[in-house]
Amino acid sequence: MPAVGGFDKGNGKEYPGNLTPYVLVTCIVAAMGGLIFGYDIGISGGVTSMPSFLKKFFPSVYRKQQANESTNLYCKYDSETLTMFTSSLYLAALLSSLVASRVTRQFGRKLSMFFGGILFLAGALLNGFAQAIWMLIVGRLLLGFGIGFANQSVPLYLSEMAPYRFRGALNIGFQLSITVGILIANVLNYFFNKIHGGWGWRLSLGGAMVPALIITVGSMILPDTPNSIIERGRHEEAREELRKVRGVNDVEEEFNDLVAASEASRQVEHPWKNLLQKKYRPHLTMAVLIPFFQQFTGINVIMFYAPVLFNTIGFGSDASLMSAVITGIVNVVATMVSIYGVDKWGRRFLFLEGGVQMLICQAVVAACIGAKFGIDGNPGELPKWYAIVVVLFICIYVAGFAWSWGPLGWLVPSEIFPLEIRSAAQSVNVSVNMLFTFLVAQVFLNMLCHLKFGLFLFFAFFVLVMSFFVYFFLPETKGIPIEEMGRVWKTHWFWSRYVGEDDFVPGGNVEMHKGSNATKNV
């Protein structure tokens, strides 16, 4: 039996190929699809702490915020309408990811990216010019539809284009774009909040048009992936594209495996139903639990509501926005650490180290807030050193997430799915991610009001559980060609009971179906 969570690489194939300037530029442009997601995460938290925005659309929250009498700061921003403004986007993203699965499978990854950009652009325009709450909500729904398409297609695109030895680093470009989008949004919120007349929030919301245009234009100039071209029957075009992507002429082995995988994919009439087969049990489990755990790290508590959270624990409006900028910078830098180390140290190491780091920081932050705010949420005068300690440990927490569950939560699911279930499984992955993002965003302020500092302990519990899950159940996928990924399950101490010897045959991931003469590459 192999080590817990590990596997024996065996005699798997190693396809020739280099990290060419062509594929590097292609993956950088594609990864910018993450900008729209990151920009929205950063912007929504910032505008909901701007007094002029609250006064226009959420007057009850504004009155509570401006009240002179001593109030429970834990409940200062508790409003179902305010949280619906933030979380409605993720419900829309959940629904659109289901549609995006079919578009991505039948028409290619590029078209899904294009739809994502156009829908996000429409939502940004509507939000920037909003005059009533319904315009904000409809705009958020359009933004969500756009994010659903982008999050469905971009990670798949990156995993399929990248040479397997560099797949981790290039795929994490998507998460890096998310963190850059968050940072840009936080910086813009800080400066737009200073605009006299109180209309800076319009620039914050309308500014989402810029990342929307980047992904829209980018999707029109990017090549499609060889996998996607093969799926549409254009084999010679796919062979030439594979040569350009890999930077070598000898691509026949990888090309033949891609064609075989496509043939297997074509014979699967119902990929959603196919997901329920016993041999795909580990894939489906990862498609559900990894995004679930990613949201229950508590990161969105920090990223959605960082300005609100810092304001709640006693920082001024400007100081809270600046604190959000600081966490945004940490987020970007730490994601670069993951890009450097993911193909060097492996996925499991980063998952586990990040989990321990987040767990310690959540316990410290809970203790700090509990000591000063107590149960009644009335801290009195907060010393400067206290604010520094809270921001410091939140930054260490953000760093732990940014080189572990942040990028790997997108990378690992996108690289483990066989082609015939890839679009459907990625749709499950995105849908679960958006569902729990929606739930966390919708109930966070209410939970903060009721659980108080215990909210951080609530998320710390899930970090502990997910770290055990990774240690025992997630195999290492570093350095495995995406077409060869099936073999990691056969040698795993737990998943081998669901994957038979004939399901994923070494040397091509070929599956022989009983009662059929067809040879299928999984």
Side-chain angles (χ1 to χ4, degrees):
M1 182 184 295
V4 172
F7 72 98
D8 176 16
K9 284 191 175 185
N11 298 312
K13 297 180 182 177
E14 294 186 3
Y15 301 123
N18 304 308
L19 183 60
T20 63
Y22 176 76
V23 76
L24 187 61
V25 171
T26 297
C27 287
I28 288 172
V29 173
M32 288 185 181
L35 285 174
I36 62 174
F37 193 20
Y39 186 89
D40 181 82
I41 290 173
I43 282 296
S44 55
V47 296
T48 51
S49 71
M50 293 183 183
S52 57
F53 177 80
L54 294 174
K55 185 176 182 180
K56 183 172 180 63
F57 295 106
F58 306 97
S60 62
V61 178
Y62 175 76
R63 287 192 296 269
K64 191 186 297 185
Q65 182 197 58
Q66 298 299 313
N68 291 324
E69 66 270 15
S70 178
T71 57
N72 184 341
L73 293 183
Y74 289 125
C75 303
K76 190 175 182 180
Y77 288 89
D78 187 19
S79 165
E80 293 299 324
T81 313
L82 181 61
T83 49
M84 180 55 73
F85 161 74
T86 299
S87 58
S88 58
L89 178 148
Y90 302 97
L91 194 60
L94 186 160
L95 297 174
S96 70
S97 67
L98 303 177
V99 178
S101 169
R102 180 172 290 274
V103 174
T104 302
R105 179 181 169 89
Q106 293 188 352
F107 301 103
R109 285 58 166 146
K110 283 180 56 174
L111 192 62
S112 278
M113 289 188 223
F114 178 77
F115 284 160
I118 291 295
L119 289 164
F120 199 85
L121 181 63
L125 282 168
L126 193 57
N127 273 353
F129 291 103
Q131 297 296 329
I133 188 68
W134 70 266
M135 295 179 71
L136 280 181
I137 300 299
V138 172
R140 293 289 292 170
L141 292 175
L142 288 171
L143 293 174
F145 292 143
I147 285 174
F149 273 93
N151 287 7
Q152 164 76 15
S153 54
V154 173
L156 288 184
Y157 185 96
L158 294 170
S159 286
E160 290 177 351
M161 289 294 279
Y164 71 92
R165 291 189 301 274
F166 306 100
R167 187 177 61 244
L170 291 177
N171 192 289
I172 289 175
F174 177 67
Q175 178 67 18
L176 180 62
S177 287
I178 292 176
T179 63
V180 170
I182 293 171
L183 176 59
I184 291 171
N186 287 333
V187 171
L188 292 179
N189 278 336
Y190 179 77
F191 288 106
F192 290 158
N193 190 45
K194 295 179 177 294
I195 293 178
H196 294 295
W199 52 274
W201 61 268
R202 291 193 183 276
L203 294 177
S204 290
L205 295 177
M209 291 186 293
V210 175
L213 286 171
I214 289 174
I215 186 176
T216 302
V217 174
S219 67
M220 292 190 287
I221 63 175
L222 287 173
D224 228 331
T225 68
N227 310 61
S228 182
I229 298 171
I230 289 170
E231 278 188 299
R232 283 170 283 160
R234 306 202 300 268
H235 287 194
E236 283 308 310
E237 181 184 341
R239 182 185 277 110
E240 286 305 310
E241 184 60 35
L242 190 59
R243 285 177 179 147
K244 288 174 68 177
V245 167
R246 298 294 177 250
V248 295
N249 289 323
D250 180 19
V251 296
E252 289 306 308
E253 186 176 32
E254 183 175 4
F255 175 76
N256 290 335
D257 284 346
L258 291 176
V259 171
S262 178
E263 290 303 315
S265 176
R266 287 177 185 277
Q267 296 182 43
V268 177
E269 296 181 4
H270 306 289
W272 291 95
K273 185 178 179 181
N274 210 42
L275 269 174
L276 301 178
Q277 292 184 31
K278 182 180 179 181
K279 64 181 177 179
Y280 296 128
R281 198 73 50 82
H283 307 79
L284 185 59
T285 300
M286 298 302 165
V288 172
L289 287 185
I290 288 179
F292 167 80
F293 284 140
Q294 187 190 52
Q295 294 315 308
F296 275 82
T297 57
I299 188 62
N300 285 336
V301 171
I302 302 297
M303 289 305 175
F304 284 159
Y305 299 108
V308 172
L309 184 66
F310 288 130
N311 213 340
T312 295
I313 59 176
F315 297 9
S317 179
D318 274 359
S320 66
L321 288 172
M322 180 50 71
S323 298
V325 170
I326 293 170
T327 58
I329 293 172
V330 171
N331 203 9
V332 171
V333 173
T335 302
M336 292 179 180
V337 173
S338 188
I339 290 176
Y340 170 78
V342 66
D343 291 315
K344 190 174 195 147
W345 306 323
R347 281 67 161 153
R348 281 168 48 83
F349 171 79
L350 288 174
F351 267 131
L352 294 171
E353 191 283 332
V356 171
Q357 188 169 320
M358 288 189 290
L359 184 65
I360 292 171
C361 290
Q362 284 166 320
V364 172
V365 170
C368 287
I369 294 178
K372 284 292 179 182
F373 285 74
I375 301 299
D376 61 3
N378 205 336
E381 190 69 27
L382 290 173
K384 187 175 181 179
W385 66 265
Y386 168 84
I388 292 173
V389 168
V390 172
V391 171
L392 176 63
F393 276 94
I394 284 180
C395 284
I396 297 173
Y397 161 82
V398 168
F401 176 85
W403 60 52
S404 63
W405 279 92
L408 302 183
W410 294 105
L411 165 62
V412 172
S414 73
E415 69 182 358
I416 63 173
F417 303 138
L419 184 61
E420 69 268 21
I421 63 164
R422 192 169 295 161
S423 290
Q426 178 68 2
S427 186
V428 170
N429 179 53
V430 174
S431 297
V432 172
N433 192 299
M434 294 300 116
L435 173 63
F436 286 101
T437 306
F438 166 78
L439 291 175
V440 170
Q442 184 63 25
V443 304
F444 160 65
L445 291 175
N446 191 264
M447 289 175 69
L448 179 62
C449 185
H450 289 87
L451 293 180
K452 304 174 175 58
F453 61 88
L455 180 63
F456 290 91
L457 298 178
F458 171 83
F459 288 117
F461 168 76
F462 281 99
V463 171
L464 182 63
V465 171
M466 67 183 71
S467 296
F468 277 110
F469 170 78
V470 167
Y471 183 77
F472 287 107
F473 298 107
L474 183 69
E476 181 58 69
T477 54
K478 177 186 75 170
I480 307 297
I482 197 168
E483 291 78 24
E484 290 276 295
M485 197 63 71
R487 58 193 167 95
V488 305
W489 311 109
K490 289 201 310 176
T491 53
H492 190 274
W493 73 274
F494 181 80
W495 298 119
S496 57
R497 70 190 67 183
Y498 297 104
V499 179
E501 285 298 321
D502 295 330
D503 286 333
F504 302 106
V505 178
N509 244 4
V510 178
E511 176 189 354
M512 300 296 294
H513 289 273
K514 293 179 182 179
S516 170
N517 294 322
T519 300
K520 300 178 182 180
N521 186 355
V522 177

